Amino acid sequence: MPPSETPSAETPQGGAGQPQIVFDQVVKRFGDLTVLDHLDFSVEPGERVTLIGPSGSGKTTILRLLMTLEKVTEGRIDVAGEPFSHMRRGNHLVPASESYLRRRRRSIGMVFQQFNLFPNMTVRKNVIEAPVHVLGLSKGEANERAEELLDLVGLGDKIDAHPTQLSGGQQQRVAIARALAMRPDILLLDEVTSALDPELVAGVLDVLRQVAETTDITMLCVTHEMAFARDVSHRVLMFDKGQIAEEGPPEQIFEDPREDRTKSFLRSVLDNGF
Amino acid sequence: MIWDFEFTGRILPDLLGGLWVTVQLTVIGYLIALSLGLAVAVVRRVRVVGPIVHGVMEFIRTTPLLVQAVFVFALVPPEISAFTVGVVVLGVHYAAYTAEVYRSGIEGVAKGQWEAARALSLPVSRTWGAIVLPQAIRKVIPALGNYLIAMFKDTPLLFAITVVELLATAQRIGAAEFRYTETITLAGLLFLLVSIPSAILIRRLERRYAAV
Ligand SMILES: Nc1ncnc2c1ncn2[C@@H]1O[C@H](COP(=O)(O)OP(=O)(O)OP(=O)(O)O)[C@@H](O)[C@H]1O
Ligand SMILES: [Mg+2]
């Protein structure tokens, strides 16, 4: 760390034990609506965190802030010990510029509820696009990576198909492969099975279980799939009105919730048959 | 009045020459309209410059082609040919229309596509070039095709700045020979000879791309 650092630009100490993600008094407003209200939390490297909470509690907004699809209103986000929502200019922090964000967000991947595959490209092209044009891999290297990842998600035989020829579940597995092809340190998953027919959900969750078991990617996962959350995550954060209402290991949150808000939320999820 | 086949044969080469000018005006003008319109549609999304470009294009779109042609022809130095002025004015005029078509195509690309591109950190050039524009243009190909025919039908207006295309050629022959029946009929047939196949081709494109 440069000696000229002022306290305002201080970041967690480098080296082992430093959190991967830190939200520091993050406020996010859309007009008059305060979605995140002085939110503080951190995520360790390799940790898998599930975000739950009622609709409108700000779960998606948290992921979108990390993916730089939204900007913080107040407070700051650090990633890998470096300012993320902000950048250093001289001795203080200023809101991150577009080019700074472009560089920093490379270590983060996101899978969307609606897949968002590029329909004008084959599955292969979808997966190699960013490795070739962002990471600078050769076509050969990128193709190798794509084939490997598509095998991992069980779609090796669909590599030359177009997204429109695939089922929703298959499209979502391609989207997972596409995100992983960038070798992200952090993977953001926003209700990735919510848009799927029930019979296709299991296939996508199996792929994610496998990713969780075989990699040390930090995962932030918004989901209503409680069994999956229990199997995969180290920690569950229960959100309500832009703040963390309760957090703990999945067994505790699901079996022995302490907060009334958590209890009633879990009850409503079960009633709705998620 | 009866149809004079000998006269018809005599004037046909001149009329074909006129048709050739019409086709050149249309094709070159169309290429200008397609490329300039695309550039305008993209630049329109840039801050400050966008609204200015949009204002200029709105002005062009809402004033008559004929007035623009006469105005520009009067302004440019005489070394610049009427054909050049005509083709550029025609192309720029229609760029104002194609820009709107492209814009609707760009706006039709789902927000999720931009977000996915951003989540993959793709550079702006790839986001536009490989993702947004291919999807946008595909959707508007039929609408763009219709402007090809519209431009073809507007070329006679350039008569006003002495561009001698098909209709002007027919007028000249008619006036010189005092025979309008054959000349104008033939000119009309030649217009049809080009526009009907073009229309069929465009319908085909439309069906092909509308399906996707
Ligand atoms: N771009 C935006 N403009 C205005 N309001 C927004 C915008 N994005 C989100 N919001 C609002 O912010 C609030 C939080 O939204 P968010 O999507 O983060 O909730 P969520 O916890 O993901 O809910 P859900 O479970 O329904 O997905 C909602 O009230 C939403 O309407
Ligand atoms: Mg959400």
Side-chain angles (χ1 to χ4, degrees):
Chain A
M1 199 176 280
S4 62
E5 215 59 70
T6 62
S8 72
E10 211 158 79
T11 52
Q13 278 304 304
Q18 138 193 302
Q20 176 88 323
I21 301 167
V22 178
F23 273 55
D24 180 5
Q25 291 288 298
V26 169
V27 175
K28 177 62 186 175
R29 288 191 199 100
F30 293 107
D32 290 341
L33 179 70
T34 301
V35 176
L36 301 180
D37 186 8
H38 296 92
L39 182 63
D40 280 315
F41 74 95
S42 60
V43 176
E44 297 303 312
E47 198 184 11
R48 295 187 291 274
V49 176
T50 295
L51 316 182
I52 61 171
S55 181
S57 58
K59 307 175 299 291
T60 296
T61 303
I62 290 169
L63 301 193
R64 291 175 61 84
L65 284 169
L66 279 166
M67 199 64 260
T68 77
L69 297 170
E70 305 284 358
K71 286 187 161 69
V72 298
T73 311
E74 284 170 33
R76 84 187 235 216
I77 302 171
D78 290 356
V79 170
E82 286 286 314
F84 184 79
S85 61
H86 292 69
M87 60 189 210
R88 295 198 171 88
R89 179 168 296 159
N91 285 342
H92 44 269
L93 291 174
V94 295
S97 69
E98 192 48 43
S99 64
Y100 182 81
L101 291 175
R102 191 174 306 136
R103 189 160 52 77
R104 292 300 311 277
R105 69 169 169 252
R106 267 187 216 176
S107 65
I108 305 179
M110 182 158 181
V111 182
F112 300 86
Q113 189 173 345
Q114 299 296 337
F115 332 135
N116 294 349
L117 292 182
F118 305 130
N120 58 317
M121 297 180 181
T122 60
V123 165
R124 177 197 302 275
K125 282 268 206 162
N126 265 277
V127 179
I128 70 170
E129 174 68 22
V132 169
H133 294 281
V134 179
L135 302 181
L137 261 58
S138 73
K139 280 265 166 63
E141 292 168 310
N143 268 312
E144 218 168 278
R145 194 178 277 195
E147 281 154 23
E148 228 167 78
L149 285 166
L150 289 167
D151 281 340
L152 173 83
V153 302
L155 292 171
D157 56 330
K158 300 286 186 194
I159 192 160
D160 291 312
H162 276 272
T164 46
Q165 298 166 318
L166 303 181
S167 73
Q170 290 172 328
Q171 290 190 50
Q172 196 58 296
R173 277 141 67 194
V174 173
I176 293 168
R178 181 175 73 172
L180 292 175
M182 289 296 280
R183 302 259 160 95
D185 299 327
I186 301 168
L187 187 62
L188 309 172
L189 304 159
D190 190 8
E191 301 198 36
V192 296
T193 57
S194 298
L196 299 178
D197 291 338
E199 71 272 20
L200 301 175
V201 170
V204 171
L205 294 183
D206 283 346
V207 165
L208 291 174
R209 277 198 183 86
Q210 210 178 329
V211 173
E213 276 164 25
T214 56
T215 69
D216 54 4
I217 297 178
T218 306
M219 284 166 64
L220 257 66
C221 180
V222 177
T223 184
H224 294 301
E225 297 289 338
M226 297 308 167
F228 170 76
R230 195 181 304 217
D231 292 352
V232 166
S233 49
H234 299 111
R235 189 157 52 115
V236 176
L237 302 181
M238 161 73 198
F239 283 86
D240 189 40
K241 302 196 179 75
Q243 288 179 319
I244 295 173
E246 182 170 1
E247 67 175 296
E251 306 77 40
Q252 183 253 304
I253 296 287
F254 295 136
E255 271 144 44
D256 183 24
R258 299 195 179 134
E259 293 286 325
D260 289 341
R261 288 181 288 181
T262 315
K263 288 177 194 164
S264 68
F265 170 71
L266 289 173
R267 214 175 305 125
S268 74
V269 169
L270 288 175
D271 289 349
N272 286 321
F274 279 110
Chain B
M1 190 175 271
I2 39 164
W3 189 272
D4 182 343
F5 282 99
E6 187 272 332
F7 177 66
T8 307
R10 195 150 50 76
I11 64 169
L12 192 58
D14 276 352
L15 288 176
L16 284 175
L19 178 64
W20 177 231
V21 175
T22 294
V23 169
Q24 279 177 299
L25 283 169
T26 309
V27 170
I28 301 171
Y30 191 55
L31 293 178
I32 294 174
L34 285 184
S35 42
L36 183 64
L38 181 60
V40 167
V42 173
V43 170
R44 261 197 64 179
R45 297 176 72 103
V46 179
R47 254 173 301 145
V48 187
V49 190
I52 296 173
V53 171
H54 177 57
V56 172
M57 287 331 238
E58 272 306 284
F59 176 74
I60 292 176
R61 213 156 58 96
T62 48
T63 48
L65 174 61
L66 183 62
V67 176
Q68 289 166 13
V70 172
F71 181 71
V72 173
F73 192 55
L75 278 188
V76 297
E79 306 87 77
I80 298 180
S81 73
F83 180 87
T84 308
V85 172
V87 83
V88 170
V89 168
L90 189 66
V92 172
H93 183 83
Y94 273 92
Y97 288 92
T98 59
E100 285 302 301
V101 172
Y102 286 120
R103 186 187 58 86
S104 74
I106 291 167
E107 279 173 4
V109 174
K111 197 164 132 263
Q113 295 290 305
W114 293 93
E115 293 186 345
R118 193 171 167 89
L120 291 167
S121 298
L122 291 178
V124 178
S125 58
R126 286 303 290 178
T127 304
W128 277 104
I131 294 156
V132 175
L133 290 182
Q135 292 180 45
I137 291 172
R138 213 185 159 85
K139 260 181 280 182
V140 299
I141 283 175
L144 290 175
N146 288 330
Y147 283 112
L148 178 64
I149 295 184
M151 287 176 78
F152 180 71
K153 291 196 295 191
D154 264 357
T155 51
L157 287 175
L158 299 174
F159 188 21
I161 58 166
T162 75
V163 177
V164 185
E165 43 63 67
L166 180 54
L167 186 69
T169 309
Q171 289 271 13
R172 268 187 195 187
I173 295 169
E177 310 261 352
F178 300 106
R179 286 197 74 102
Y180 282 99
T181 318
E182 287 87 351
T183 41
I184 298 297
T185 309
L186 211 52
L189 285 174
L190 288 176
F191 269 112
L192 282 178
L193 187 77
V194 174
S195 65
I196 289 178
S198 311
I200 291 171
L201 194 76
I202 285 161
R203 289 299 150 254
R204 274 211 194 140
L205 280 179
E206 199 164 316
R207 239 174 288 134
R208 185 162 152 213
Y209 287 99
V212 186

